[in-house]
């Protein structure tokens, strides 16, 4: 798939996610449907850490190839698979979030929304920097799914935003969600 189209899909998923989180008051943003669930601020902070880490990894992989020092070598075991197929193959029903992507700072929801918007700028700049490289050869391993190329990573960004937007919608539809 064309990287420009993938970026548009990621951008649309990001807009949908942000729309779900926007306009909430502090009580709504901090509401937890259960003691072991995340609130909307925590979900959004998680998205920032996860997306920033993945985008940074793709930049490192691209630079490694450009400098003839690839950061990953081995079999591209997921070659030709969609991100949904890869996740079905590699994820457990209820995955534990990696430490690097756990919410830990807190703070206002508006801060995390803006930080998530900035991820789109980083992604677009990455796409512009890929010039002349084969995106399927730029591979940065995902912590749970293993080696993913740039195309799969872009698909993952879209998938991840959509997944957590559903989580936010679930929080907002909880019967005890503040009005």
């Amino acid at each position: 798939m064309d990287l420009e189209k993938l970026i548009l899909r990621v951008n649309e998923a990001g807009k949908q996610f942000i729309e779900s989180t926007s306009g909430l008051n502090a009580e709504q943003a901090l509401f937890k449907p259960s003691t072991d669930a995340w609130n909307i601020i925590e979900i959004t902070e998680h998205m920032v850490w996860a997306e920033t880490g993945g985008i940074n990894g793709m930049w490192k992989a691209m630079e490694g190839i450009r400098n003839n020092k690839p950061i990953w070598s081995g079999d591209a075991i997921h070659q030709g698979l969609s991100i949904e197929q890869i996740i079905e193959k590699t994820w457990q029903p209820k995955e534990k979030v990696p430490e690097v992507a756990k919410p830990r700072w807190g703070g206002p929801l508006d801060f995390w929304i803006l930080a998530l918007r900035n991820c789109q700028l980083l992604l677009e700049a990455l796409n512009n920097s890929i010039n002349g490289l084969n995106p399927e050869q730029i591979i940065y391993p995902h912590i749970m799914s293993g080696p993913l190329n740039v195309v799969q990573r872009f698909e993952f960004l879209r998938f991840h935003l959509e997944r957590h937007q559903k989580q936010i919608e679930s929080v907002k539809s909880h019967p005890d969600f503040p009005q």
Side-chain angles (χ1 to χ4, degrees):
M1 179 178 252
D2 176 350
L3 289 183
E4 294 293 331
K5 288 181 184 172
L6 282 172
I7 286 180
L8 288 173
R9 292 182 70 197
V10 173
N11 191 22
E12 184 57 34
K15 285 179 184 176
Q16 296 290 327
F17 181 95
I18 289 169
E19 187 176 300
S20 290
T21 61
S22 295
L24 300 177
N25 64 40
E27 184 183 13
Q28 292 169 323
L30 290 167
F31 173 78
K32 288 185 177 225
S34 66
T35 55
D36 63 338
W38 285 349
N39 62 44
I40 293 172
I41 293 171
E42 291 168 323
I43 296 167
T44 308
E45 180 182 350
H46 160 70
M47 292 303 299
V48 171
W49 294 128
E51 304 308 295
T52 303
I55 293 168
N56 177 266
M58 288 185 278
W59 276 82
K60 289 190 289 190
M62 177 188 66
E63 287 300 310
I65 289 172
R66 281 221 163 90
N67 296 322
N68 209 20
K69 295 179 182 177
I71 63 167
W72 183 85
S73 63
D75 293 330
I77 58 174
H78 302 309
Q79 190 67 28
L81 298 179
S82 71
I83 198 59
E84 286 81 5
Q85 291 170 312
I86 295 167
I87 287 169
E88 185 176 318
K89 193 168 114 174
T90 60
W91 284 27
Q92 301 300 314
K94 183 160 169 98
E95 279 293 347
K96 291 185 81 170
V97 68
E99 287 297 319
V100 298
K102 281 185 178 176
R104 54 193 174 274
W105 285 8
L109 180 58
D110 287 345
F111 171 86
W112 294 111
I113 291 171
L114 185 56
L116 190 58
R117 281 190 176 126
N118 287 334
C119 288
Q120 186 65 31
L121 297 173
L122 295 169
L123 186 62
E124 289 169 4
L126 169 68
N127 185 45
N128 293 336
S129 297
I130 289 176
N131 297 342
L133 297 178
N134 180 346
E136 294 194 9
Q137 293 178 343
I138 303 170
I139 297 175
Y140 182 71
H142 182 271
I143 198 160
M144 293 184 291
S145 295
L148 300 180
N149 65 41
V150 165
V151 171
Q152 293 162 332
R153 280 281 184 170
F154 283 14
E155 287 181 343
F156 179 78
L157 292 172
R158 183 236 353 120
F159 167 87
H160 197 225
L161 285 159
E162 290 172 350
R163 176 184 178 100
H164 286 290
Q165 181 196 355
K166 289 176 187 165
Q167 184 182 14
I168 286 171
E169 293 302 328
S170 176
V171 170
K172 289 168 55 177
S173 68
H174 190 278
D176 296 330
F177 186 74
Q179 295 305 312

